[in-house]
Amino acid sequence: MDNHLTAHRQEIVNDGFTVINGIYTNAEVKSILDVIASANQSNPAFRKTDDLFAIRQFLKELPQVVPLIFNDKLKAIITALFDQDYFVTKSIYFDKPELSNWFVAWHQDLTIVVDKKTDVEGYGPWTVKQNQFGVQPPLPILKDNFTIRIHLDDTNEANGALKAITGSHLKDIYRPETIDWNIETETTCNVNAGGFMIMRPLLLHASNRTTNNQKRRVVHIEFSRADLDGGLGWAEKLTF
């Protein structure tokens, strides 16, 4: 592994996240956006309001985007930073429009999306959203998973870049109401268009309202290498 990726790997270990720019060219970003623009937006997986445009099960709904997302650079980085056993478990496209006034409070990503609801020891509580079953799995699964957030626009604090509490992924379940700002450090994760942020799901993160009239379009992809217990399966498993 070259020194560049070694530093990013260490940031993931210590901080819970890292930012890598220059993964997609402007032309590649445009190709991804063109696929999204040409999609049938009446599909139930598509959600569109004045404040948000989202596509759940993004890679499953738009399979033609998969080879554009998983280019050689992305696959090489995943293999170098993690290993070849990981697969996709969830994918969402978010478009936070220029005039969006919503924000996301501090939280960890504690749920995974599975194919059915059944009582399994160590799994719970359960949620149902858009006919998808979400459940909090055992802690070792969450600790081993990772998320890649591919940015299709330049993103900073003014248009809703994620804020993260450095190192918070090392504290297991960390309730937002217990954050001690005397000891914690907040970092704004600026990402250029064509770059991405890699994060652990236990990282405490949030985002502000948009204030600069600039879009923030992101492809959010979650990865795991875990076999689930009790007959549970991943709802959106995809190898690449």
Side-chain angles (χ1 to χ4, degrees):
M1 186 185 301
D2 63 38
N3 291 336
H4 175 67
L5 287 179
T6 299
H8 286 295
R9 187 173 194 171
Q10 201 58 46
E11 286 183 356
I12 296 169
V13 171
N14 296 338
D15 301 339
F17 67 94
T18 193
V19 172
I20 305 178
N21 286 308
I23 305 305
Y24 303 92
T25 65
N26 291 339
E28 288 171 324
V29 169
K30 183 180 184 303
S31 294
I32 294 169
L33 291 171
D34 286 346
V35 170
I36 296 166
S38 65
N40 177 9
Q41 297 185 12
S42 64
N43 188 309
F46 289 56
R47 176 187 167 201
K48 192 161 190 178
T49 67
D50 290 341
D51 274 349
L52 174 69
F53 174 37
I55 307 173
R56 295 190 177 276
Q57 299 195 22
F58 175 65
L59 300 177
K60 183 184 289 188
E61 293 293 336
L62 299 177
Q64 63 271 41
V65 85
V66 173
L68 302 177
I69 295 289
F70 287 96
N71 67 8
D72 290 342
K73 281 187 179 180
L74 179 61
K75 290 190 287 188
I77 288 171
I78 291 173
T79 300
L81 294 181
F82 302 98
D83 66 30
Q84 295 180 324
D85 296 332
Y86 281 88
F87 47 84
V88 173
T89 62
K90 182 179 179 181
S91 60
I92 308 175
Y93 167 74
F94 289 110
D95 178 356
K96 194 172 189 178
E98 299 95 320
L99 301 179
S100 175
N101 63 0
W102 60 275
F103 68 95
V104 179
W106 289 105
H107 69 286
Q108 296 171 300
D109 292 337
L110 297 179
T111 60
I112 58 174
V113 180
V114 295
D115 58 353
K116 57 182 172 291
K117 182 178 180 181
T118 184
D119 290 332
V120 181
E121 184 176 357
Y123 289 74
W126 288 81
T127 61
V128 180
K129 185 183 293 184
Q130 301 257 310
N131 297 316
Q132 291 184 319
F133 298 106
V135 66
Q136 184 172 321
L139 202 55
I141 293 178
L142 289 176
K143 286 184 173 181
D144 194 53
N145 290 357
F146 69 92
T147 298
I148 290 181
R149 292 172 55 88
I150 300 165
H151 286 246
L152 306 177
D153 299 290
D154 291 337
T155 308
N156 55 43
E157 187 174 10
N159 64 332
L162 279 196
K163 303 180 295 181
I165 296 180
T166 305
S168 54
H169 67 300
L170 300 173
K171 300 183 179 182
D172 296 343
I173 305 300
Y174 191 167
R175 300 299 178 191
E177 61 271 18
T178 68
I179 296 172
D180 182 354
W181 290 110
N182 292 313
I183 61 172
E184 301 294 11
T185 301
E186 173 187 309
T187 301
T188 299
C189 305
N190 297 339
V191 186
N192 296 338
F196 62 64
M197 174 185 179
I198 302 175
M199 58 181 279
R200 292 294 191 182
L202 291 175
L203 181 77
L204 268 169
H205 57 284
S207 67
N208 291 337
R209 294 179 173 88
T210 298
T211 59
N212 66 352
N213 295 326
Q214 298 293 319
K215 280 181 171 288
R216 191 208 70 180
R217 293 169 291 188
V218 173
V219 178
H220 172 111
I221 307 176
E222 299 178 10
F223 297 80
S224 184
R225 56 181 171 180
D227 293 322
L228 303 178
D229 302 304
L232 290 174
W234 297 98
E236 196 183 341
K237 185 174 180 178
L238 172 72
T239 55
F240 53 90

